[in-house]
Amino acid sequence: MTASDLPPRWLAAARRLIGGRRREEAEGDLIELWHRRRTGGRRWVGVRFWMDVASLAWARRRRRAVHVRLPSSRAFGIGLWSDLRFTWRLSARQPGFAAVVLFALIFGIAAATAIYTIADRTLLAPLPYPDPERLVALDPLAVAIRREADTVSIQPADVRSAGLFTALGLYEPGGLDFDAGGDPIRLNAAAVDSGFFDVLAVPPMLGRVFTRADDRGVAVVVLAHEAWRRVFGSDPSILGRRIVLSGRPYAVVGVMAPDVTFPEQPAVWIPVGADARMTGGGVRGGVIGRLAPGVSIDRATEVLAAIKEAAFQEPQAGPPPSMSPLQQHLTAGARPTLLFLVAVVSLLLAASSASVASLLLARLGSRTREFRVRAALGASRARLVRQVLIEALWLGVVAGTAGFVTAIWMSRVIVTSVPALSSGPPGTGVDGRAFAVGAALSLLSCFLFSLAPVAGVMGGRVAASGEGRTATGWPRFAPSLLIAQMAVAVVLLAAASTALAIVTRASRLDFGVRNGSALTFQVTLPASAYATGNDVSRFAGDLEAAYRGMPGVRAVGLTNLLPGATGTRRVTHLAIAGLAGAASAPHGILLAATPDYFRAMGAPLIAGRFFEPGDAGRDVVILNETAARALDPDVRQVVRQRLTNPDAEIVGVVGDLRMGVGLPEVMDAIDRTHIYAPLRAHPPQGTIGVALDVGGDFEAAVDVARRGLRAVDPALTIFDVSRAGDLPARLFAAERLRAVMAGVFSVVVIGLGALGLYGVLAQLVTQRQREMGIRVALGASRRRVHIDVLWPALRLVLVGIAAGVVLTGVGWRLASRAVPELEAPSAAALGVDAIVLLIVACLAAWIPARRASAVDPATALRAE
Amino acid sequence: MRGGHLGEFEELVLLAVHGLADAAYGVAVRQLLETETGRSVSIGPVYTALERLQQKRLVRSQVVAGTAVRGGRRRRVFALTAAGLEALAELQAIRARLYAQANLRPAKGRT
């Protein structure tokens, strides 16, 4: 009899599948079974053959799994699928548990990734220029900038030749109106000298940068990469084209490399002096330098001081020269907020990891039992560890993916709400390393604490309860996790309430704007078309007339400097003619306004009158309340008095319109003392601020503003458009972000802490159900049982709160060393935080406690 | 009883090995069980049971030359040990006693 018609290839495949020692025996069986079926006339012989193969393979696999001694690498793949299925069933059975753990992981990962990314990019990532550590920002007051006719130069001239720097550059940020054919577009711009690009040392992508010859205000322009892409559609033949910026034609000579966004992400760079009005009349430029190799900042500062002293031959009147690394200079404004956010998000990450850990431990009882059963049934330790690993991995994949996506969204929200936090263009994904840190920390804790139940069956022995465990079956360190969470919650709450206190105080600040819906915006008048004060004055009159003629406009007013805007402040003495002690009179800033400006902004008239159309020819001024009070506590008395400088009669007193951004205690008194002169008589230099009281929504109001301006001069654009009432929000965006972030984080941490507490107590109650039942049966009052459950929990919470208060104090001490202006958390706020936490904890503990005292003795005794 | 508890299938396999005398190898045991019990028996579980019985020292095995129908492949022939015989006898006695006491008429009411 032959071996029949069984295909040899099938047999070979079967041999490989079955493997093992007794391959020959299995082969023989397969051949024999095949043959018997064939001769017996059975159908589906092929199918049955493979079923036999599977059955033999399965049997051998099972034999191996039963007596695993040590897990070999090949054995590791065994049962993977069933482990996965088990994991899935486990989370499907307890969807609430899985959801909370996932939420804690996702939130922690996402927030940490988003904030670490922003902090890393802004504070740590090197500037995108060669040898960035050699770049410094110099104090422009220390290095005198001299303007002569069209040229601007750094003085004293020795600075250049001292060998400290390989290059020095000037820059002045501002804006220009780009005439794109239709409506002009407002572009961020910077006026820079030829040294500027030498300092950055990045070659242009197309064409050239400025040369010495351009420093005399030649009409040439270098485009930023982003503007070239967005405004000019990446036109490769852009070089040599003429573009009109604020009324002056410029020749495009270059396009910069994509990474160069200094200063303040300009769309174009023009030579210093090419447009006297692009900075809005104010000079707020700076000087950057590239230190020569081997020259330290300290040495450069020293030499610079010596040069300056020698050049000016006098003791220094101004501040001594100072310089700082360019990176630090750029991020100075964002640093406190970012450090704060990094601190709170680190706390959040710690707390969310701790809460994941304590949630996992809350399940310890049931898990330990499950693992003991499995170990008793022959599951190897490796198998149990692998089960835990798979569970952690499952959580990791889901939480990691969701966390990553959420992080991208979150960083975008943060950067758009406070653009100052990001040095570059906003939101381009998140940083892989930041994500790795956040994800690794939370998942590691997840994995480690999932292992706890395995520890219970370590060494193959079925561990007796006792050593290293409390009577309830969870490790002694489990309560400290809860304490840690509570402590972190207190610290976060303290941070949140401190941040909130700042915001609250800021929101209580009276900006004086009673008409919050007024639209405010600015217009820059190019020197080419509006060379003289008369031109500006005429334009102001035309503009006011144009707006007045439009439907819906209730009032329109013009000023040289809107609240919150940057620009030069002209400071003057506030002295009344014929009064003694004029020399000691307070200072104030001199502003200009048209008759309806105060009405449009809603600044109340306190005494006297507003300006009138006829005032343009007269020498009259209006004081704000602070200025009037400085002269006479009874503000009505100052009306009709005469000031000496400017020599003008005070005709009215108006409510304060706050200009600056500082909080009252740090705000300069001069900045709050305002003297208004009629704008037509004191036309501003270049930039005019407009307040337009017009009905309708924002878009409609902006449309009115555009149309009115177009009627007067179609080459101009409006910019810095906002509602007057939005000023506080704009000024305190960073502070608000801090309060919101800290607030949200602390709510999350408290919520997770409460859930953790609930989970642990619920577990405890379940485990002690029998005991409770017996006690109730023996006559213990329900109240007594209640207290028995509540008290240990509250003790944990109280210890946590105490630890949190101490931590807050220590943390504040440490932090205030890094950020000296940091506010101390108030005791009252801490007290409120503690009470809030205590209430939440009580609620979380209450539910299991109720369940414990409601135990029916009969049920409890019958259980198990 | 030595070797601890015997499952139902293990018991059947043990009986089959005994019944097949010298010709008790995997396929033969399977064949016998299929014809006697009337249910479909896979080859894998048969070997699993045989391995377990051998572990409990109720059967022993010996590798012998294969026949032509197996393509000449060798096979393992199983035989009962003394302990195996003893276990069967003991099981049979237990069964007999229990059957003697059991009332095989359908039970009344709920079980």
Side-chain angles (χ1 to χ4, degrees):
Chain A
M1 213 181 269
T2 60
S4 80
D5 54 345
L6 174 62
R9 285 239 302 275
W10 283 22
L11 200 58
R15 186 165 44 214
R16 272 199 300 280
L17 274 174
I18 295 165
R21 281 181 302 141
R22 302 221 165 86
R23 219 173 304 153
E24 191 183 338
E25 178 185 18
E27 256 179 70
D29 288 354
L30 286 170
I31 295 168
E32 191 177 341
L33 285 166
W34 173 280
H35 186 76
R36 276 170 194 262
R37 291 199 184 107
R38 266 263 179 254
T39 49
R42 303 283 296 269
R43 293 162 62 188
W44 307 109
V45 179
V47 175
R48 285 172 203 277
F49 171 83
W50 286 112
M51 281 165 67
D52 287 338
V53 170
S55 140
L56 279 169
W58 181 256
R60 288 175 179 251
R61 197 201 68 108
R62 283 268 296 283
R63 277 206 297 278
R64 271 207 293 273
V66 165
H67 34 159
V68 160
R69 268 144 256 130
L70 277 171
S72 69
S73 56
R74 265 174 72 200
F76 196 77
I78 293 165
L80 201 63
W81 178 239
S82 68
D83 280 356
L84 275 171
R85 263 192 336 208
F86 184 71
T87 303
W88 171 249
R89 276 207 309 268
L90 207 65
S91 40
R93 205 177 55 203
Q94 295 178 311
F97 175 84
V100 172
V101 169
L102 275 179
F103 173 78
L105 286 173
I106 291 171
F107 197 86
I109 292 173
T113 307
I115 287 172
Y116 289 162
T117 298
I118 296 170
D120 177 66
R121 288 222 178 113
T122 309
L123 298 182
L124 300 178
L127 296 171
Y129 312 113
D131 300 330
E133 69 286 346
R134 280 168 55 199
L135 296 178
V136 290
L138 287 87
D139 182 353
L141 288 175
V143 187
I145 299 174
R146 180 183 291 176
R147 291 175 171 277
E148 282 167 5
D150 276 350
T151 68
V152 178
S153 59
I154 294 171
Q155 298 294 329
D158 292 347
V159 171
R160 285 193 190 277
S161 56
L164 298 173
F165 303 97
T166 55
L168 278 170
L170 290 173
Y171 67 90
E172 288 175 353
L176 292 168
D177 295 342
F178 168 54
D179 185 356
D183 273 344
I185 302 168
R186 183 78 186 174
L187 297 178
N188 274 353
V192 300
D193 70 350
S194 55
F196 176 85
F197 290 110
D198 293 341
V199 173
L200 298 186
V202 177
M205 204 184 70
L206 292 175
R208 63 172 177 91
V209 291
F210 300 145
T211 61
R212 277 287 155 105
D214 297 321
D215 280 347
R216 288 180 170 275
V218 177
V220 289
V221 61
V222 172
L223 301 178
H225 187 269
E226 175 65 14
W228 175 62
R229 202 180 56 80
R230 199 166 38 84
V231 183
F232 300 98
S234 303
D235 179 4
S237 60
I238 189 82
L239 295 184
R241 213 168 109 185
R242 293 202 162 260
I243 60 173
V244 178
L245 298 169
S246 287
R248 189 176 178 193
Y250 289 78
V252 177
V253 296
V255 175
M256 210 52 215
D259 282 342
V260 182
T261 56
F262 184 79
E264 301 178 14
Q265 299 172 36
V268 293
W269 289 274
I270 59 170
V272 170
D275 188 317
R277 291 184 178 171
M278 64 153 281
T279 58
V283 183
R284 52 188 193 98
V287 179
I288 53 172
R290 178 172 281 274
L291 289 171
V295 176
S296 73
I297 285 190
D298 290 341
R299 201 175 94 73
T301 312
E302 244 168 67
V303 176
L304 208 58
I307 292 173
K308 194 183 173 193
E309 211 161 323
F312 293 103
Q313 299 291 328
E314 63 188 46
Q316 287 174 13
S322 72
M323 60 184 86
S324 54
L326 183 58
Q327 171 133 29
Q328 208 173 311
H329 177 76
L330 281 174
T331 58
R335 184 177 293 266
T337 299
L338 281 176
L339 288 180
F340 177 87
L341 290 181
V342 165
V344 293
V345 88
S346 302
L347 286 173
L348 171 82
L349 195 59
S352 75
S353 299
S355 79
V356 168
S358 67
L359 282 168
L360 290 170
L361 286 179
R363 252 190 355 170
L364 189 66
S366 56
R367 273 340 276 285
T368 306
R369 184 195 239 155
E370 169 205 326
F371 282 166
R372 277 186 198 159
V373 169
R374 289 184 63 180
L377 285 177
S380 65
R381 238 180 308 159
R383 184 75 192 267
L384 295 182
V385 172
R386 191 180 66 183
Q387 172 71 40
V388 170
L389 202 69
I390 285 173
E391 283 175 33
L393 206 68
W394 179 83
L395 284 174
V397 169
V398 176
T401 317
F404 193 79
V405 174
T406 317
I408 292 173
W409 170 79
M410 221 186 252
S411 67
R412 221 169 264 167
V413 168
I414 294 171
V415 172
T416 26
S417 67
V418 188
L421 290 184
S422 158
S423 56
T428 39
V430 295
D431 187 61
R433 284 169 307 151
F435 173 69
V437 169
L441 266 178
S442 13
L443 293 178
L444 195 69
S445 75
C446 184
F447 173 64
L448 282 181
F449 290 98
S450 306
L451 271 180
V454 181
V457 289
M458 263 305 173
R461 79 200 144 90
V462 176
S465 68
E467 23 154 6
R469 273 145 201 286
T470 58
T472 54
W474 33 286
R476 290 195 194 286
F477 63 84
S480 53
L481 281 176
L482 271 179
I483 293 175
Q485 277 183 73
M486 290 297 150
V488 169
V490 171
V491 178
L492 273 178
L493 266 179
S497 48
T498 311
L500 195 67
I502 297 174
V503 173
T504 319
R505 257 187 308 141
S507 71
R508 279 208 209 103
L509 278 186
D510 189 1
F511 279 80
V513 178
R514 296 283 174 277
N515 183 17
S517 67
L519 197 71
T520 58
F521 54 89
Q522 304 190 62
V523 177
T524 294
L525 307 177
S528 52
Y530 302 92
T532 67
N534 273 343
D535 297 332
V536 176
S537 176
R538 198 175 331 109
F539 169 82
D542 292 350
L543 190 65
E544 273 198 319
Y547 283 132
R548 277 209 195 91
M550 294 179 75
V553 175
R554 289 187 284 265
V556 57
L558 275 51
T559 181
N560 63 331
L561 197 62
L562 282 167
T566 50
T568 331
R569 281 142 206 237
R570 279 174 61 198
V571 178
T572 183
H573 247 50
L574 188 64
I576 289 183
L579 228 67
S584 65
H587 286 80
I589 53 176
L590 189 62
L591 299 166
T594 58
D596 266 357
Y597 174 64
F598 303 107
R599 224 167 277 143
M601 293 291 274
L605 182 68
I606 292 170
R609 62 171 176 84
F610 287 135
F611 288 133
E612 287 164 0
D615 284 340
R618 277 179 249 153
D619 289 326
V620 290
V621 290
I622 288 176
L623 300 186
N624 76 343
E625 202 183 345
T626 306
R629 237 176 251 294
L631 294 176
D632 194 327
D634 182 4
V635 294
R636 257 162 286 178
Q637 297 302 316
V638 302
V639 178
R640 267 188 278 286
Q641 306 251 35
R642 265 196 104 76
L643 286 186
T644 53
N645 181 28
D647 180 17
E649 185 193 347
I650 301 166
V651 294
V653 177
V654 296
D656 288 356
L657 285 172
R658 186 176 290 272
M659 303 297 294
V661 297
L663 292 168
E665 58 264 41
V666 292
M667 197 162 145
D668 200 340
I670 297 173
D671 234 14
R672 282 183 290 151
T673 310
H674 303 159
I675 304 145
Y676 292 95
L679 185 128
R680 301 289 296 275
H682 295 80
Q685 298 274 312
T687 299
I688 290 183
V690 183
L692 190 61
D693 182 10
V694 58
D697 60 11
F698 188 73
E699 266 72 42
V702 172
D703 188 53
V704 169
R706 288 233 170 81
R707 276 189 289 132
L709 181 62
R710 201 181 305 145
V712 179
D713 186 343
L716 302 179
T717 56
I718 61 173
F719 61 96
D720 280 357
V721 189
S722 73
R723 294 271 191 205
D726 292 343
L727 181 63
R730 264 196 302 148
L731 295 181
F732 294 103
E735 283 79 1
R736 271 192 4 179
L737 181 75
R738 274 190 253 173
V740 167
M741 287 303 227
V744 169
F745 290 175
S746 42
V747 166
V748 168
V749 167
I750 292 172
L752 289 175
L755 278 171
L757 193 67
Y758 168 79
V760 167
L761 284 184
Q763 178 79 16
L764 197 130
V765 166
T766 314
Q767 273 165 357
R768 290 175 59 189
Q769 201 175 34
R770 198 191 186 100
E771 175 208 329
M772 305 275 178
I774 293 172
R775 287 174 57 185
V776 170
L778 289 178
S781 74
R782 303 233 178 238
R783 226 181 107 242
R784 183 71 230 163
V785 173
H786 228 126
I787 289 169
D788 253 27
V789 175
L790 271 181
W791 176 236
L794 288 187
R795 214 170 40 194
L796 285 187
V797 173
L798 286 175
V799 172
I801 288 174
V805 170
V806 173
L807 264 182
T808 307
V810 173
W812 176 72
R813 278 279 158 82
L814 289 178
S816 59
R817 253 184 239 166
V819 189
E821 65 271 21
L822 197 74
E823 298 239 342
S826 80
L830 262 178
V832 172
D833 297 344
I835 291 169
V836 167
L837 208 55
L838 207 56
I839 292 173
V840 173
C842 279
L843 280 178
W846 183 260
I847 303 164
R850 263 190 66 86
R851 222 175 53 198
S853 62
V855 168
D856 176 15
T859 321
L861 291 177
R862 212 182 308 136
E864 305 218 10
Chain B
M1 186 168 86
R2 285 248 317 265
H5 173 76
L6 271 189
E8 189 235 4
F9 190 68
E10 279 173 15
E11 188 186 341
L12 289 178
V13 172
L14 193 61
L15 278 167
V17 170
H18 189 42
L20 284 165
D22 288 347
Y25 65 101
V27 178
V29 170
R30 176 191 160 277
Q31 194 69 27
L32 182 66
L33 287 178
E34 246 186 20
T35 47
E36 291 301 325
T37 61
R39 64 191 190 200
S40 159
V41 176
S42 297
I43 185 73
V46 171
Y47 274 111
T48 307
L50 285 170
E51 295 282 349
R52 284 215 183 114
L53 291 172
Q54 191 163 15
Q55 239 182 341
K56 294 171 184 171
R57 296 180 196 280
L58 301 178
V59 297
R60 60 171 186 270
S61 67
Q62 188 186 357
V63 177
V64 299
T67 51
V69 75
R70 298 174 58 81
R73 265 73 165 184
R74 284 180 296 179
R75 56 191 172 143
R76 227 173 349 147
V77 177
F78 292 84
L80 254 63
T81 60
L85 269 172
E86 200 181 303
L88 276 185
E90 200 173 326
L91 271 173
Q92 196 181 16
I94 294 170
R95 294 265 147 101
R97 284 199 298 277
L98 286 172
Y99 273 104
Q101 287 166 34
N103 179 3
L104 284 182
R105 279 178 306 179
K108 283 176 192 148
R110 294 172 59 197
T111 50

